[in-house]
Amino acid sequence: MTISWSRRSFLQSSLLVLGGARGPRWGGVDAGDGTHLCPKSRRPARTLAAIRLEELTSFAWDMRLTLSCLQGLTNRAQPLLYLIHDHYDELWLDWLRERGDVDTVEWLEVGQVFERFLPSGAPLYVTDPDVPASVNVATMLASVHGGVVATPNTLGLFKLKAGSDANAPEAGLDLRSFAWKKDLDAYRWAWGRLDDQLSRQAVCILDPHEVALRDYLVEFKIPILWISGPADVKSNPRAAPGEEAQFARAMMMKWPPNIPCLGWPSGGNKESGIGEDPGIDLTSECAKFNPCTAFDAYSPTVGNLSVHSGTTANLRQAIPPITLDRDKVYLAFIRSDGDGWNFQRHYYRKLFDDPAHGTVPVGWQLGSTAIDGQPDILDYYYKHARPGDCFVNALTGIGYIHESRYAQNYPPDERARIWKEYLRLSGIYMERLGATVMCTYQEMPQELLQMIAGTPGVRGIFSNYGRTDKTTLDNLAAEADGVPVFRAVNRPPYMLTYTPTARREAEQFTIKEITDWTPVRRPAFLYVFLANWLTNMEMLQNIARGLGKEYVPVRPDQLAMLYRRFKGV
């Protein structure tokens, strides 16, 4: 049995300790000729209207739902409306102005937003509070028919038509009239009714309680599912976890391989939904990759993609020269979870703006398809990078997958073709990042590792989300088809690091993990895995200082270069 830590499971363990456009119907995406794996908006208007959603009071969640869906319709022709879900959205709005994407921001009250952007005569889709799936169904109906989503609390605000004829959904629907017995009944009705009108470029698994991502889903008519978990049954009698998983699998197999599955398979509390590991198993088996765009218990759901995806960026990075000293232990620190667009929007910004950023070389995982969805945000990091910053591709290639399960639902010949295309696209997107090294998620058979090492442009692989029981002193630095492979040397500390004492304990734990697992031979080459316990950059300073002068922190691309030099390549 291979031990592999779930991407955000350290947080859950710690808490336990503490108590318009449719994509091509079937594949054929060629990112090399200027098309994109993830949908892109048109360029934002020079003047953006903006509203701070924190100012909403009565029925705030209900209004956020309506506004996010309305934003998707509004921005379909051209991005005109920007929603401030939190402080970070305001930071990125400032960056849009600084970059020159936007000249002016016009601040509006909620009434002004509706006065300006609410389409007259639009169909109204009213959710059923007793059927959580109705939120996702209403979102899809609004996307296809250009409608407005409302809850029973707010429908009186809109003098719009909500019909009851299931055979005429284009005229609006009050979804309470269906009296669905199960969430699955709602999804079956919606996917069956809207199938040929929904995008084939992406799918989404989204908790019905999450709001921010819906602008992007509505704009591009992206189909939405939610798969309940066993814990949901108590609070939602309409949940049917096993049946929902079977339905999701069947629907995903109808959609093309090598497309993104947006959202996230667990709720923000980590207790709802099918969960990360079984959810990513399911999407991987159906040959869908995940750019995490919803709340994963650490970084919130991404909003305003209907604006951000309309921007562009030219991302380049160079490898600073370095000399090999054969008496040293070289180590590359890599901060995890940047494969999620939610981390790029949220927590990476906090770390990059930390005064201690840049004092120690570090690699930053990036999900490469963010160059489609939020290139302006990636541009911020490249423009504010220090010489020791290295952007690495994660997880693995074009998106987060469980490598050994990818495309397993397909026959062997088709699976081979899917993998070939996956690696071709991964090479294209790595080049767009200017990246030469890749992070992978799980320990895997050597044959699969060699195949992934053959991705165009890969000069080094950093393997595993923390040290596994397959890691040995001899394979910490190894090769796959001539490409250096570095396995994570350390496990994550099992604690939240919100207090000074906890941060010091995490630092000492990590120093001990590294020194206990340093090989005797010199030079040595180590990959140090930094996950969500790294809450500020001073921690990295303290770890590097605590290791002593024998240990030399370098960028991940430099570590691969030094290893190749040591091997005479």
Side-chain angles (χ1 to χ4, degrees):
M1 174 182 176
T2 299
I3 297 174
S4 180
W5 304 108
S6 174
R7 293 172 2 116
R8 281 85 175 176
S9 64
F10 92 96
L11 179 59
Q12 187 178 25
S13 300
S14 302
L15 289 171
L16 289 172
V17 171
L18 291 176
R22 291 173 52 199
R25 185 171 179 84
W26 291 109
V29 175
D30 182 357
D33 69 357
T35 58
H36 303 275
L37 288 172
C38 299
K40 286 189 67 65
S41 301
R42 294 179 172 86
R43 288 186 176 276
R46 304 308 305 177
T47 297
L48 273 185
I51 176 175
R52 294 185 175 94
L53 299 184
E54 65 182 11
E55 296 176 1
L56 297 173
T57 53
S58 302
F59 302 119
W61 181 89
D62 309 66
M63 297 301 292
R64 284 172 181 256
L65 173 65
T66 297
L67 287 166
S68 186
C69 293
L70 178 61
Q71 182 189 22
L73 291 181
T74 298
N75 291 350
R76 189 174 279 171
Q78 184 184 26
L80 296 168
L81 178 61
Y82 191 93
L83 306 183
I84 304 294
H85 296 275
D86 62 18
H87 168 64
Y88 288 90
D89 284 327
E90 193 143 2
L91 291 178
W92 295 120
L93 180 58
D94 291 341
W95 177 237
L96 283 169
R97 285 188 289 194
E98 186 177 337
R99 271 175 35 108
D101 298 288
V102 174
D103 294 330
T104 306
V105 174
E106 182 183 4
W107 293 99
L108 302 181
E109 301 290 339
V110 62
Q112 295 172 306
V113 171
F114 286 129
E115 183 178 3
R116 181 175 302 183
F117 298 115
L118 187 67
S120 61
L124 186 65
Y125 299 99
V126 183
T127 64
D128 183 347
D130 292 329
V131 184
S134 67
V135 177
N136 287 340
V137 170
T139 302
M140 288 188 281
L141 286 165
S143 74
V144 168
H145 298 300
V148 175
V149 175
T151 72
N153 290 328
T154 58
L155 71 91
L157 297 173
F158 309 103
K159 302 304 180 184
L160 300 172
K161 182 179 179 181
S164 58
D165 185 353
N167 294 315
E170 66 280 0
L173 283 172
D174 187 333
L175 299 181
R176 293 174 294 177
S177 65
F178 284 82
W180 284 310
K181 301 299 183 184
K182 296 189 292 189
D183 279 340
L184 184 56
D185 296 334
Y187 287 123
R188 281 178 173 151
W189 179 87
W191 284 61
R193 174 71 61 175
L194 302 174
D195 182 304
D196 63 350
Q197 300 172 78
L198 295 168
S199 171
R200 257 51 185 186
Q201 195 172 355
V203 294
C204 181
I205 296 176
L206 187 66
D207 184 337
H209 298 96
E210 293 298 332
V211 168
L213 183 61
R214 294 179 190 273
D215 66 309
Y216 194 61
L217 304 180
V218 167
E219 179 184 13
F220 293 106
K221 305 179 185 178
I222 295 171
I224 315 167
L225 283 165
W226 178 244
I227 308 170
S228 303
D232 293 311
V233 177
K234 287 185 179 180
S235 59
N236 177 19
R238 287 170 171 76
E243 292 179 86
E244 290 171 22
Q246 291 177 8
F247 178 76
R249 184 175 289 106
M251 291 302 99
M252 288 199 180
M253 290 301 293
K254 290 181 63 176
W255 260 245
N258 294 332
I259 64 170
C261 179
L262 301 165
W264 190 244
S266 68
N269 60 8
K270 296 290 285 186
E271 296 177 358
S272 60
I274 188 175
E276 176 180 346
D277 282 344
I280 302 300
D281 278 351
L282 189 155
T283 55
S284 293
E285 290 163 2
C286 298
K288 311 297 183 286
F289 62 89
N290 183 276
C292 180
T293 44
F295 187 28
D296 61 350
Y298 216 90
S299 283
T301 301
V302 177
N304 294 300
L305 287 178
S306 59
V307 179
H308 293 304
S309 66
T311 64
T312 59
N314 184 25
L315 308 178
R316 292 289 180 267
Q317 58 179 335
I319 308 175
I322 191 167
T323 302
L324 175 65
D325 184 337
R326 293 177 178 267
D327 295 324
K328 296 296 185 181
V329 177
Y330 292 99
L331 69 166
F333 296 103
I334 297 182
R335 180 57 166 85
S336 74
D337 290 61
D339 60 288
W341 299 6
N342 61 337
F343 261 71
Q344 297 169 18
R345 188 200 73 92
H346 174 244
Y347 216 80
Y348 267 25
R349 180 65 188 260
K350 174 182 180 294
L351 295 174
F352 247 66
D353 292 350
D354 189 316
H357 167 225
T359 56
V360 178
V362 63
W364 302 89
Q365 289 186 1
L366 292 181
S368 57
T369 54
I371 191 64
D372 294 338
Q374 47 189 35
D376 55 322
I377 290 178
L378 293 188
D379 186 50
Y380 179 87
Y381 297 120
Y382 279 68
K383 282 189 167 63
H384 290 81
R386 309 298 201 270
D389 288 326
C390 173
F391 300 103
V392 304
N393 172 235
L395 266 173
T396 297
I398 49 177
Y400 175 30
I401 61 172
H402 289 170
E403 299 93 348
S404 294
R405 289 183 177 268
Y406 200 71
Q408 285 296 307
N409 286 353
Y410 295 83
D413 288 349
E414 192 170 357
R415 187 185 314 147
R417 288 193 294 271
I418 290 169
W419 261 112
K420 182 178 180 180
E421 178 69 358
Y422 184 92
L423 298 177
R424 185 187 75 83
L425 292 168
S426 295
I428 290 170
Y429 273 80
M430 279 190 67
E431 195 278 332
R432 290 182 178 184
L433 290 183
T436 59
V437 296
M438 175 191 292
C439 286
T440 59
Y441 178 60
Q442 293 177 323
E443 186 67 44
M444 67 188 82
Q446 184 68 13
E447 296 78 8
L448 180 55
L449 188 59
Q450 288 176 340
M451 186 174 74
I452 291 172
T455 303
V458 170
R459 304 287 287 173
I461 288 180
F462 291 78
S463 185
N464 302 336
Y465 197 85
R467 192 178 73 236
T468 78
D469 61 355
K470 301 296 183 184
T471 306
T472 68
L473 289 174
D474 291 328
N475 69 14
L476 284 172
E479 295 180 27
D481 199 23
V483 174
V485 176
F486 306 98
R487 287 174 172 83
V489 69
N490 61 308
R491 299 167 298 160
Y494 304 98
M495 60 193 75
L496 293 172
T497 54
Y498 297 149
T499 65
T501 299
R503 287 196 290 273
R504 301 297 85 82
E505 289 177 358
E507 293 162 7
Q508 292 305 311
F509 177 91
T510 304
I511 290 170
K512 188 174 189 304
E513 284 280 288
I514 295 168
T515 54
D516 285 353
W517 274 77
T518 299
V520 174
R521 65 182 182 275
R522 299 290 182 273
F525 304 90
L526 303 180
Y527 159 31
V528 181
F529 170 73
L530 307 175
N532 299 323
W533 53 267
L534 188 87
T535 51
N536 65 44
M537 301 305 288
E538 181 192 22
M539 296 178 71
L540 186 57
Q541 281 182 316
N542 293 337
I543 292 168
R545 187 182 302 116
L547 286 169
K549 294 183 178 179
E550 184 183 12
Y551 291 81
V552 181
V554 297
R555 291 167 42 135
D557 48 10
Q558 289 177 321
L559 191 73
M561 185 168 62
L562 289 169
Y563 180 88
R564 293 169 67 88
R565 191 173 297 163
F566 169 64
K567 290 292 186 176
V569 178

